[in-house]
Amino acid sequence: MSKAIAGFSKLSKEEKINWIANEYFTNPADAISLLKKYWNSDKSLQKLHDEFIENTITNFYLPLGVAPNFTINGREYTIPMAVEESSVVAAASKAAKFWAQRGGFKTMILGTEKIGQVHFLYKGDKEKLASFFNTVKPKFFEETESITKNMQKRGGGILDIVLKDKTDSLDNYYQLHATFETKDSMGANFINSCLEQFSKTLKNEAQNNNAFTEEEKQVQVIMSILSNYVPNCVVRAEVSCPVADLNEGNGVDPAEFAEKFVTAVKIAEIEPFRAVTHNKGIMNGIDSVVVATGNDFRAVEAGVHAYASKGGTYSSLSHAKIDNGIFTFWMDIPLALGTVGGLTSLHPLVKLSLEMLGNPTAKELMQIIAVTGLAQNFAALRSLTTTGIQQGHMKMHLMNILNQLEATDSEKQQTVKYFEKNTVTHAAVVDFIKDLRKVTAKDLEKDFL
């Protein structure tokens, strides 16, 4: 039977929930109760969250943790991280502490240019189109002045517009390829507004160009949209120290560790199957801070993975070397971020996260987020090349397993103590809890008798 419904968006929140509960759940009352448990008791705060998106029925929580002890360019930070995956915050914190004792992280902004494009079809003489573009180019700037005025006051605006001939890839396909500086805003709305005005100017000027034939005047704009690929909006994060300083007193030879670490990175540089997981680890750190600061992690992910493929093969974002006894680990990564506009001025926890970071500029936030990704990558590679990734990860995952088994506080304490010296696996935890409960049951039986 079809569950299609007309006018769903016009229903009240209560009506939407009741319809969903009755249509999709065997116990509608339980479903409704669960959804309402996640509502905020502060009605005005709940209303704010309800209005972030359409058809909101409840809030979906992610833990907001913090990773202290980050030293970035000589300044100390505690970094907010919104993430559900076990060990991400712990790994970042551990790497931060390790490098804080060795000079901390160094960063550098390599560029802040963002990109937007008007995609259009033109059937006609290419030279006439190029001449036309050069003539009307100033009008693209003039006719967007009302849009760019405030951005220009902040030092941003349209940097350049070029005509790109893409007819070798698709018949009659051209672009207006525009570059922008958006300062502390991510700039999506600003860029898209400019692009839509470009498309209007393009069509109007083409219609009135006497050098064009009637067919050439019929420029067809397909779409006007920013690009989330920002290869010139890039930040570098780096750590370095003498190889001898990599000794943590854990019995691992620092020279051997450094060589294995560099080799592990080189494998990720040449092997896409490894590079994907390697870069996913970087994004564990990056996405956590992107989400916590109200930025678009999907846009960041798309741009980062495109950047990882810029050489024609998907490759590692991070790199490592040993030169004259100095170990260096670094990463260049594209990050289009904002610290004003969007959720940054609406979501209370986003505002709190930004204040925790000292209310950074967009450039400063780029550096903080890049460092978190590099720290996460260092922590993962250190585990992989020494103890193995599962030892630390499964100990962090232990509490999730215990919660799945509905362990009591007493059972949790006993289990954690036992697995301090034993290998954590899901099966081992299940067996330990079963044995624990058998012992408890016998003790209860004795007391009863």
Side-chain angles (χ1 to χ4, degrees):
M1 182 181 292
S2 172
K3 289 184 170 64
I5 180 173
F8 181 77
S9 63
K10 294 181 175 63
L11 298 178
S12 69
K13 185 177 172 183
E14 291 273 2
E15 289 170 337
K16 288 170 185 168
I17 289 172
N18 289 336
W19 180 82
I20 290 167
N22 288 310
E23 287 289 333
Y24 290 98
F25 295 92
T26 52
N27 193 325
D30 284 353
I32 292 169
S33 175
L34 179 61
L35 290 172
K36 290 187 175 182
K37 280 180 183 177
Y38 284 85
W39 289 4
N40 198 292
S41 58
D42 183 326
K43 290 185 178 180
S44 62
L45 187 59
Q46 183 57 53
K47 186 173 186 292
L48 177 68
H49 282 71
D50 286 348
E51 292 175 354
F52 283 156
I53 61 168
E54 306 79 16
N55 296 338
T56 304
I57 56 173
T58 194
N59 307 312
F60 188 93
Y61 292 171
L62 280 177
L64 179 65
V66 295
N69 300 317
F70 272 89
T71 301
I72 306 173
N73 298 331
R75 181 177 171 185
E76 293 182 357
Y77 291 89
T78 294
I79 298 180
M81 303 176 72
V83 63
E84 86 298 340
E85 185 173 332
S86 302
S87 79
V88 169
V89 176
S93 301
K94 189 174 181 181
K97 186 177 180 181
F98 178 91
W99 284 108
Q101 298 165 354
R102 293 160 178 82
F105 294 84
K106 305 293 188 295
T107 61
M108 180 191 308
I109 297 293
L110 303 181
T112 56
E113 179 185 282
K114 294 167 187 172
I115 292 168
Q117 297 166 320
V118 176
H119 305 269
F120 68 95
L121 301 181
Y122 163 82
K123 297 178 182 178
D125 187 296
K126 292 185 179 184
E127 291 185 4
K128 284 165 70 175
L129 179 63
S131 176
F132 160 76
F133 171 75
N134 289 331
T135 301
V136 303
K137 182 175 178 178
K139 288 206 169 185
F140 292 123
F141 289 89
E142 292 167 11
E143 296 187 1
T144 51
E145 282 182 355
S146 62
I147 301 169
T148 62
K149 182 171 59 177
N150 288 336
M151 184 65 75
Q152 286 176 338
K153 287 178 182 177
R154 300 200 298 271
I158 305 163
L159 300 177
D160 196 12
I161 309 165
V162 297
L163 174 69
K164 289 197 172 184
D165 181 347
K166 306 290 287 185
T167 54
D168 58 339
S169 301
L170 181 65
D171 288 347
N172 308 314
Y173 171 38
Y174 296 83
Q175 297 172 358
L176 295 182
H177 184 94
T179 50
F180 301 84
E181 170 58 62
T182 61
K183 304 307 286 183
D184 287 335
S185 69
M186 190 275 171
N189 290 330
F190 168 75
I191 292 171
N192 288 334
S193 295
C194 290
L195 295 171
E196 289 184 3
Q197 181 56 54
F198 292 168
S199 69
K200 292 175 185 176
T201 301
L202 176 67
K203 289 190 288 185
N204 290 339
E205 292 299 319
Q207 283 287 333
N208 295 319
N209 184 33
N210 293 329
F212 280 170
T213 65
E214 284 305 311
E215 184 178 42
E216 288 169 338
K217 289 181 179 181
Q218 305 309 311
V219 168
Q220 184 184 10
V221 173
I222 303 300
M223 54 187 164
S224 307
I225 185 71
L226 90 163
S227 174
N228 290 128
Y229 183 39
V230 285
N232 295 319
C233 185
V234 176
V235 57
R236 174 172 295 170
E238 178 180 296
V239 287
S240 65
C241 71
V243 168
D245 289 353
L246 293 172
N247 190 345
E248 289 187 88
N250 55 6
V252 177
D253 178 70
E256 181 185 346
F257 166 72
E259 290 288 352
K260 282 184 73 175
F261 190 101
V262 170
T263 302
V265 174
K266 289 187 182 299
I267 289 170
E269 289 174 344
I270 64 168
E271 171 52 64
F273 282 91
R274 171 60 197 142
V276 170
T277 309
H278 178 94
N279 290 345
K280 186 268 181 185
I282 292 171
M283 300 313 292
N284 278 345
I286 287 175
D287 283 345
S288 301
V289 192
V290 170
V291 172
T293 57
N295 278 275
D296 187 345
F297 75 92
R298 299 156 301 270
V300 168
E301 282 269 358
V304 165
H305 293 303
Y307 191 78
S309 305
K310 67 183 187 300
T313 303
Y314 190 87
S315 181
S316 169
L317 291 159
S318 61
H319 309 280
K321 66 179 181 180
I322 301 168
D323 190 11
N324 293 323
I326 302 297
F327 169 83
T328 305
F329 181 48
W330 77 97
M331 174 176 68
D332 294 347
I333 192 161
L335 292 172
L337 304 169
T339 55
V340 299
L343 282 186
T344 60
S345 57
L346 286 176
H347 198 301
L349 287 178
V350 167
K351 290 194 282 187
L352 181 142
S353 294
L354 289 170
E355 186 174 351
M356 190 187 305
L357 294 172
N359 290 316
T361 64
K363 284 184 179 180
E364 289 167 342
L365 186 59
M366 286 173 70
Q367 295 169 84
I368 292 165
I369 290 179
V371 160
T372 312
L374 191 70
Q376 199 71 34
N377 196 212
F378 177 80
L381 288 171
R382 181 172 57 177
S383 292
L384 282 168
T385 55
T386 54
T387 60
I389 200 76
Q390 283 301 91
Q391 184 184 81
H393 179 75
M394 287 307 293
K395 286 203 172 184
M396 290 302 301
H397 191 53
L398 175 59
M399 200 55 63
N400 287 344
I401 300 172
L402 290 171
N403 284 330
Q404 288 172 12
L405 298 173
E406 298 182 350
T408 65
D409 287 344
S410 174
E411 288 172 339
K412 286 177 181 178
Q413 289 171 6
Q414 293 177 75
T415 307
V416 168
K417 186 172 180 59
Y418 174 79
F419 282 104
E420 284 176 357
K421 296 180 180 179
N422 293 277
T423 302
V424 178
T425 68
H426 190 278
V429 176
V430 170
D431 288 344
F432 182 80
I433 288 292
K434 282 181 178 177
D435 290 343
L436 202 59
R437 288 172 177 172
K438 284 179 185 176
V439 171
T440 304
K442 286 180 179 177
D443 288 343
L444 285 172
E445 188 177 348
K446 286 178 183 176
D447 291 343
F448 181 75
L449 293 172

